[in-house]
């Protein structure tokens, strides 16, 4: 499994995003995450522009709908030549299988497809009281991850602290993509369950997603390089 650092480009315009990417030297092409805010404001064209500059793209749109709608949407996303995208595991195994069908290109290749299990903003108490899920959050994450694996997905998004639960249930080859990354000596912002890049590597993350520690840094290139050094050991 390839390991990499993904920068969460949580900007609200194409201009801000491209200005940010311009800071990186010609030979440095970080893996970039485009989320709902940027995609809904700048549209598919921002994906094409960033791709054209040579970056890999994780399109984080967290699809959750009936299988047919998800399949057709995934066909559109596959045509954007992205490298990774995601769905909610709560959409069921059938929906996840439909997502894979839609994402698979005529030559049999496809972007990586990962599932959101339980959002890290959902507490166990709310999950049990509001969603009437009568299990612990750990059990739910393990089961949703297992469903994603059964449907043929490549991995899940989870907190680094949950990566070991996922690996235990689904095997080492099942990918853990983990946000909630902070340097040991920097602010937590609004993230609660955080881990440093070095610790995420120890725990078994395959891809770390890092936003503000890089995007809000006075020297984003140095901050990104530090993430790479700590996470990939180079
Ligand atoms: O700035 P920060 O490093 O906190 O950004 C983390 C990124 O990962 C954001 O784009 C956030 O939406 C995303 N994310 C997260 N927690 C999840 C899923 C996604 O922080 N459970």
């Amino acid at each position: 499994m390839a390991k990499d650092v993904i920068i969460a480009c949580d900007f609200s315009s194409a201009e801000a995003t491209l200005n940010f990417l311009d800071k990186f030297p010609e030979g440095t092409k970080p893996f970039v995450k485009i989320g709902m805010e940027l995609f809904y404001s700048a549209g598919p064209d921002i994906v094409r522009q960033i791709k054209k500059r040579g970056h890999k793209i994780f399109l984080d749109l967290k699809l959750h709908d009936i299988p047919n709608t998800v399949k057709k949407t995934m066909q559109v996303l596959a045509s954007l030549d992205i490298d990774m995208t995601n769905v909610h595991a709560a959409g069921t195994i059938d929906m996840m299988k439909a997502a894979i069908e839609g994402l698979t290109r005529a030559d049999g290749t496809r972007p990586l497809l990962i599932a959101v299990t339980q959002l890290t903003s959902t507490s166990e108490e709310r999950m049990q009281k509001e969603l009437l899920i009568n299990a612990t959050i750990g059990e739910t994450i393990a089961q949703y991850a297992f469903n994603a694996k059964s449907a043929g997905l490549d991995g899940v998004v989870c907190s680094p602290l949950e990566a070991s639960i996922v690996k235990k249930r689904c095997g080492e080859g099942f990918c853990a993509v983990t946000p909630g990354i902070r340097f040991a000596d920097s602010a937590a912002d609004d993230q609660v369950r955080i881990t440093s890049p070095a610790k995420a590597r120890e725990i078994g993350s395959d891809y770390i997603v890092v936003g503000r520690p890089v995007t809000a840094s006075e020297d984003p290139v140095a901050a990104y390089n530090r993430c790479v050094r700590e996470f990939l050991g180079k």
Side-chain angles (χ1 to χ4, degrees):
M1 176 78 54
K3 292 195 178 244
D4 212 342
V5 174
I6 302 178
I7 303 180
C9 282
D10 293 323
F11 300 105
S12 56
S13 72
E15 192 190 3
T17 309
L18 297 176
N19 284 343
F20 168 74
L21 293 177
D22 279 343
K23 296 186 170 139
F24 288 82
E26 193 43 45
T28 307
K29 299 286 179 193
F31 203 134
V32 162
K33 178 171 94 74
I34 297 177
M36 289 186 238
E37 181 187 4
L38 182 58
F39 191 76
Y40 291 145
S41 73
D45 201 46
I46 186 65
V47 177
R48 293 189 195 97
Q49 286 189 64
I50 296 178
K51 193 72 201 177
K52 209 165 149 192
R53 288 171 169 232
H55 297 267
K56 287 190 171 174
I57 295 180
F58 167 23
L59 191 54
D60 178 19
L61 299 182
K62 301 186 178 72
L63 299 194
H64 187 175
D65 210 315
I66 59 171
N68 185 54
T69 302
V70 168
K71 179 179 165 181
K72 294 198 158 171
T73 307
M74 284 298 181
Q75 282 169 351
V76 176
L77 300 188
S79 75
L80 290 175
D81 196 23
I82 51 169
D83 300 279
M84 182 188 290
T85 190
N86 57 3
V87 291
H88 271 281
T92 76
I93 292 176
D94 273 356
M95 188 207 74
M96 291 190 273
K97 283 183 175 167
I100 289 193
E101 263 183 66
L103 211 50
T104 306
R105 306 182 185 101
D107 63 1
T109 63
R110 65 166 172 81
L112 290 172
L113 183 62
I114 57 174
V116 176
T117 54
Q118 282 293 350
L119 292 169
T120 44
S121 51
T122 306
S123 68
E124 184 167 278
E125 192 191 4
R126 277 179 183 271
M127 183 192 79
Q128 292 173 344
K129 281 198 180 144
E130 292 180 21
L131 307 180
L132 300 182
I133 294 175
N134 190 19
T136 65
I137 200 117
E139 286 163 348
T140 316
I141 287 164
Q143 180 63 30
Y144 282 21
F146 191 71
N147 290 349
K149 190 181 180 197
S150 309
L153 271 66
D154 305 294
V156 290
V157 191
C158 58
S159 106
L161 308 171
E162 289 152 4
S164 58
I165 300 176
V166 169
K167 298 275 180 180
K168 204 167 154 199
R169 184 74 194 271
C170 300
E172 282 302 316
F174 196 63
C175 175
V177 179
T178 63
I181 303 293
R182 290 296 179 270
F183 294 121
D185 54 6
S186 71
D189 303 311
D190 55 350
Q191 295 281 20
V192 180
R193 305 176 66 200
I194 53 173
T195 303
S196 69
K199 187 79 189 160
R201 178 171 71 154
E202 267 176 54
I203 293 173
S205 296
D206 298 289
Y207 293 89
I208 53 170
V209 177
V210 192
R212 286 160 292 178
V214 172
T215 55
S217 164
E218 276 178 19
D219 187 345
V221 178
Y224 169 74
N225 287 336
R226 181 177 173 191
C227 284
V228 171
R229 257 194 329 272
E230 286 192 16
F231 182 58
L232 301 178
K234 61 183 183 188

